[in-house]
Amino acid sequence: MIFIFGLTIQTQAQPASNYDQHKAFNPEFMSEPGTTFRGGSGAPGPLYWQNRADYNLAATLDTTQHKISGTSEIHYTNNSPDALHYLWLQVELNLFKEGSRGSYSGNVPTTAGGIDIQQVEVTQDGKTYKADHVITDTRMQVRLHQPVKPDGGKVTITVKYAFRMTTNQFRLAMMDSKNGAIYDVAQWYPRMCVYDDVRGWNTLPYQGAGEFYCEYGNFDYKVTVPANMIVAGAGVLQNPEEVLTKTEIKRLDKARQSDETTYIIKPDEVGKAETRPKQEGMLTWHFKMENSRDVSWAASKAFVWDAAKANLPEGKTVLAMSVYPKESMGKNAWDRSTEYLKHSIESFSADWYPYPYPTATNVGGPVGGMEYPGIIFCKWSINKANVMYFVTAHEIGHNWFPMLVGSDERRFGFMDEGLNTFIDIYAQDKFNHGEFGPKRDGEYDPEGKNPARDIVPFMTKDGTEAIMNFSDVLQWKNSHMVNYYKTSLGLVLLREYILGHDRFDYAFRTYIDRWAYKHPRPEDFFRTMDDAAGEDLGWFWNEWFYQTWTLDQAVTAVHYAKGKPEEGALITLTNNDQMVMPTTVKVVESNGKTGEVKLPVEIWQRGGTYLFKYASTSPIDSVIVDPGKQLPDVNPSNNVWTNDNKLTKK
């Protein structure tokens, strides 16, 4: 028996459901109290602290041996309440050393060898000494003579090192082009591990799939290369008069004022003597970047170079640039790179948070899609317009997640890949009146966001994994679907279906504002969204991110009150699987009248069957659950009831 609206209705027997409301609405989920470091609201607490690493870097490129030699001088500030008796550094180039952990857990080439640490020195209280250090795979421990004091204690670590570049590394590599070698240089210096309030030292080894977790600081770095090469570096070039010609400086000044792409080095000028201030010997390029977590660079004499102005809120601008070999040119390839870069920066800045750096550069080279603060590496051989757009937008989008909002990519890949893919969807829709957006019947449809059904084949296959897994634990075949697509589609569901644009956007911007240049964890994101949107979404975070549950909503019966359509229809819905969602029901009557009822997720709090009364005035022709196909329903065949079904009148 079900009692509703004062009526007693006999319902037909339904098959047993797999649903348990106590799991879906688990009161213990994310119930740990906040701390003075991280509040229950998801905001940084009043005693939140974060350590800092400022870098002075110098590197020299030997193009004969394809070798880089350098010095990493790290000025480290311990803002934690703990005295630090030792320090941990990342030496991620050891991934490419034979016997690395990554070489066993993934398809990692080891022909390059690792990083050669030649000297480690520590300076404390004005005294410098050779440091006792131990290298374990991709981590290096530096053991101190005396601890770094808490609450602002300082220490300087200086490391001399060298490593080789090869053509088969990933995230950094070299390649030959028609006009010279191209070097994409990243993970190129020893850098600090993060020490935080959650785990202390974060020393997960770098194995390839899991990316990076870095401290913020200022970078002052110099790169010395043969004089005939161009260096594209993150940050602001400090000595243009030494490394550029007067013509190139003039063209850059013009590009800073222009919304149209301007050549700095034209295709027919590549490799010519007049593009360089000198031809022989070496030149040192000097860059600075403030409040960043990393820097990277690329070098080649083969670069075409173009640039344009990108417009930010409040009248601010940044310089968007692209460098690429001549063979990358084409209207469907790199000719429009700066246009794509410019639009992406403008879109993300207008929608979510202003772009945080003064320059942005897209490098066409050997690395096929990788992001760093202020600079991205995209494959030189891309020759499809939609691919070129999406890769550019996605990689520069990482400057919001995780370059600005500094999450731990190595543990929680979805916090950068998924959130970034989410903002990509909306920027792509807007580009050039929908050139690469969703299309229906040949026409652009900016509201055509019904992507949730796309995830169903993944959610129902054997071997499906939850989002809340380390990237290095996920199966390679699943990692993109989990970190990128399931995460981003879940956020689309929140924005388009559950919260609506206004509430979602306000909460999402609040998260970015709260955690800009800080280190959030997943719970900080979830709690902030709940707090700012005013909605307890624990049911959603649990089922979408921690579980592999599926959704199966159905219409299982339609009755008429007192057996008369004009007295109202009594519609029975069931939730057959463990996932829950709010429910939209469309009702079509025989008199042509159509109506929709939006039911909150709370209809499933007391079980998997829900009966509601619809104010019909004539017989029902059909009842449809999820008429817009916005939900990841694994069995849409039971979403529709029609009057061809047997109608029970009790």
Side-chain angles (χ1 to χ4, degrees):
M1 293 285 191
I2 294 179
F3 298 90
I4 185 169
F5 305 120
L7 302 173
T8 302
I9 303 149
Q10 187 74 38
T11 61
Q12 57 193 23
Q14 300 297 329
S17 170
N18 295 318
Y19 175 64
D20 179 351
Q21 68 268 29
H22 305 97
K23 292 180 180 179
F25 299 95
N26 179 1
E28 294 300 314
F29 175 73
M30 215 167 64
S31 61
E32 298 84 358
T35 69
T36 55
F37 304 126
R38 296 169 190 266
S41 69
L47 297 183
Y48 176 82
W49 55 266
Q50 189 170 302
N51 289 353
R52 180 180 179 90
D54 298 296
Y55 293 83
N56 283 33
L57 306 173
T60 300
L61 172 62
D62 180 342
T63 55
T64 301
Q65 299 185 63
H66 309 303
K67 182 178 180 181
I68 291 176
S69 303
T71 301
S72 177
E73 181 183 278
I74 309 167
H75 302 277
Y76 188 66
T77 304
N78 176 25
N79 294 317
S80 82
D82 307 321
L84 301 180
H85 294 263
Y86 46 82
L87 308 172
W88 281 99
L89 279 68
Q90 301 279 0
V91 283
E92 289 148 333
L93 288 161
N94 274 349
L95 174 67
F96 305 108
K97 184 177 182 179
E98 187 173 357
S100 72
R101 297 188 187 185
S103 69
Y104 291 109
S105 63
N107 186 21
V108 176
T110 58
T111 55
I115 187 169
D116 176 18
I117 300 296
Q118 300 167 342
Q119 180 177 296
V120 181
E121 291 184 340
V122 169
T123 301
Q124 287 181 286
D125 299 326
K127 297 180 181 179
T128 299
Y129 58 89
K130 185 177 180 181
D132 180 14
H133 63 280
V134 176
I135 297 173
T136 306
D137 197 53
T138 59
R139 295 76 45 86
M140 178 169 70
Q141 185 186 53
V142 177
R143 297 168 179 171
L144 304 174
H145 287 183
Q146 58 189 28
V148 187
K149 296 177 182 179
D151 303 318
K154 296 182 182 296
V155 66
T156 297
I157 312 99
T158 304
V159 184
K160 293 184 178 180
Y161 64 92
F163 65 93
R164 289 181 59 243
M165 300 278 291
T166 68
T167 58
N168 66 345
Q169 291 159 302
F170 63 92
R171 297 200 175 106
L172 78 159
M174 59 160 290
M175 61 169 278
D176 290 323
S177 76
K178 293 179 180 178
N179 293 290
I182 299 174
Y183 297 85
D184 287 348
V185 186
Q187 292 93 255
W188 56 285
Y189 58 94
R191 58 188 179 186
M192 296 302 302
C193 294
V194 172
Y195 186 85
D196 64 23
D197 61 290
V198 179
R199 294 184 175 274
W201 287 109
N202 285 261
T203 56
L204 273 182
Y206 177 46
Q207 299 178 68
E211 293 183 321
F212 312 111
Y213 187 28
C214 307
E215 295 287 17
Y216 287 94
N218 295 335
F219 288 78
D220 187 322
Y221 70 104
K222 297 177 180 179
V223 177
T224 301
V225 299
N228 62 355
M229 300 184 83
I230 298 292
V231 175
V236 177
L237 181 64
Q238 301 296 299
N239 61 336
E241 69 286 346
E242 296 177 14
V243 296
L244 300 177
T245 66
K246 292 181 179 179
T247 297
E248 289 158 357
I249 293 173
K250 184 177 179 180
R251 290 174 180 174
L252 278 169
D253 289 339
K254 178 183 176 181
R256 289 187 181 95
Q257 308 301 319
S258 175
D259 287 307
E260 300 297 323
T261 302
T262 299
Y263 279 118
I264 313 304
I265 295 178
K266 299 178 181 179
D268 60 2
E269 296 173 339
V270 170
K272 291 187 177 180
E274 58 265 30
T275 65
R276 309 303 306 117
K278 71 174 190 176
Q279 290 294 305
E280 302 297 329
M282 307 287 279
L283 280 176
T284 297
W285 296 62
H286 183 192
F287 297 89
K288 288 185 179 180
M289 195 170 193
E290 296 182 351
N291 215 8
S292 181
R293 50 182 259 162
D294 195 8
V295 289
S296 297
W297 52 279
S300 181
K301 63 180 181 180
F303 283 148
V304 178
W305 183 4
D306 64 41
K309 172 185 65 170
N311 301 290
L312 305 186
E314 300 181 356
K316 297 180 180 180
T317 63
V318 300
L319 185 62
M321 300 178 283
S322 299
V323 294
Y324 47 91
K326 288 172 67 174
E327 52 264 47
S328 296
M329 296 182 67
K331 64 180 181 179
N332 292 325
W334 280 80
D335 286 9
R336 298 179 69 187
S337 167
T338 296
E339 177 190 357
Y340 300 154
L341 188 65
K342 167 185 165 66
H343 175 270
S344 300
I345 290 170
E346 292 174 347
S347 178
F348 298 144
S349 297
D351 288 348
W352 309 116
Y353 192 99
Y355 179 76
Y357 305 113
T359 62
T361 305
N362 193 5
V363 178
V367 175
M370 190 57 204
E371 69 280 354
Y372 301 95
I375 190 169
I376 60 177
F377 297 160
C378 297
K379 197 74 170 180
W380 70 274
S381 56
I382 298 173
N383 59 7
K384 293 182 178 179
N386 62 333
V387 176
M388 187 70 216
Y389 170 83
F390 182 78
V391 173
T392 300
H394 180 78
E395 302 309 337
I396 199 62
H398 276 299
N399 277 265
W400 282 260
F401 309 102
M403 308 311 168
L404 174 67
V405 182
S407 59
D408 179 354
E409 301 174 86
R410 195 157 296 170
R411 289 185 184 275
F412 308 112
F414 78 92
M415 292 187 74
D416 69 296
E417 296 297 357
L419 273 62
N420 178 26
T421 303
F422 165 75
I423 66 174
D424 294 342
I425 291 169
Y426 292 92
Q428 179 173 317
D429 288 352
K430 293 188 295 183
F431 177 74
N432 196 24
H433 306 289
E435 180 178 349
F436 302 122
K439 292 180 171 62
R440 300 282 178 80
D441 299 323
E443 297 295 328
Y444 173 60
D445 175 13
E447 298 303 321
K449 298 182 183 68
N450 299 314
R453 296 282 174 95
D454 297 342
I455 200 73
V456 166
F458 171 73
M459 295 175 72
T460 55
K461 74 174 184 177
D462 291 338
T464 296
E465 297 173 273
I467 293 173
M468 199 61 67
N469 275 297
F470 293 173
S471 295
D472 288 307
V473 172
L474 291 168
Q475 296 292 323
W476 282 106
K477 62 182 179 179
N478 290 339
S479 59
H480 271 70
M481 288 301 299
V482 169
N483 283 335
Y484 294 68
Y485 301 120
K486 187 179 179 184
T487 301
S488 62
L489 295 185
L491 297 182
V492 168
L493 275 173
L494 273 183
R495 187 174 193 262
E496 301 293 332
Y497 191 76
I498 298 170
L499 292 177
H501 290 193
D502 181 76
R503 295 173 71 199
F504 179 94
D505 292 356
Y506 181 79
F508 199 64
R509 292 184 190 117
T510 298
Y511 168 66
I512 299 173
D513 287 340
R514 284 179 173 180
W515 291 97
Y517 306 107
K518 296 181 177 71
H519 294 317
R521 291 178 53 80
E523 296 86 350
D524 300 317
F525 173 56
F526 301 153
R527 292 182 181 208
T528 292
M529 294 296 293
D530 286 7
D531 188 65
E535 194 75 35
D536 185 346
L537 295 166
W539 59 271
F540 177 78
W541 306 125
N542 184 28
E543 69 184 16
W544 199 263
F545 288 85
Y546 289 83
Q547 312 296 339
T548 57
W549 298 342
T550 55
L551 179 74
D552 180 12
Q553 295 181 344
V555 189
T556 48
V558 175
H559 309 273
Y560 296 134
K562 300 179 183 178
K564 299 177 181 180
E566 62 272 18
E567 294 289 333
L570 299 162
I571 300 170
T572 303
L573 309 177
T574 61
N575 197 69
N576 294 318
D577 286 352
Q578 189 57 56
M579 182 179 284
V580 293
M581 284 285 173
T583 305
T584 299
V585 181
K586 180 179 179 180
V587 180
V588 179
E589 299 183 51
S590 61
N591 63 7
K593 184 180 177 181
T594 300
E596 279 195 359
V597 180
K598 295 184 182 296
L599 300 168
V601 73
E602 284 80 5
I603 67 173
W604 308 117
Q605 284 182 328
R606 286 190 168 88
T609 301
Y610 183 76
L611 185 149
F612 72 99
K613 185 176 182 180
Y614 180 80
S616 61
T617 58
S618 67
I620 303 298
D621 278 352
S622 64
V623 178
I624 306 171
V625 168
D626 187 25
K629 301 180 181 179
Q630 292 178 285
L631 300 180
D633 197 305
V634 300
N635 184 21
S637 64
N638 61 16
N639 288 12
V640 180
W641 176 96
T642 69
N643 61 9
D644 296 333
N645 297 1
K646 182 178 179 181
L647 184 62
T648 305
K649 301 179 181 180
K650 297 286 187 182

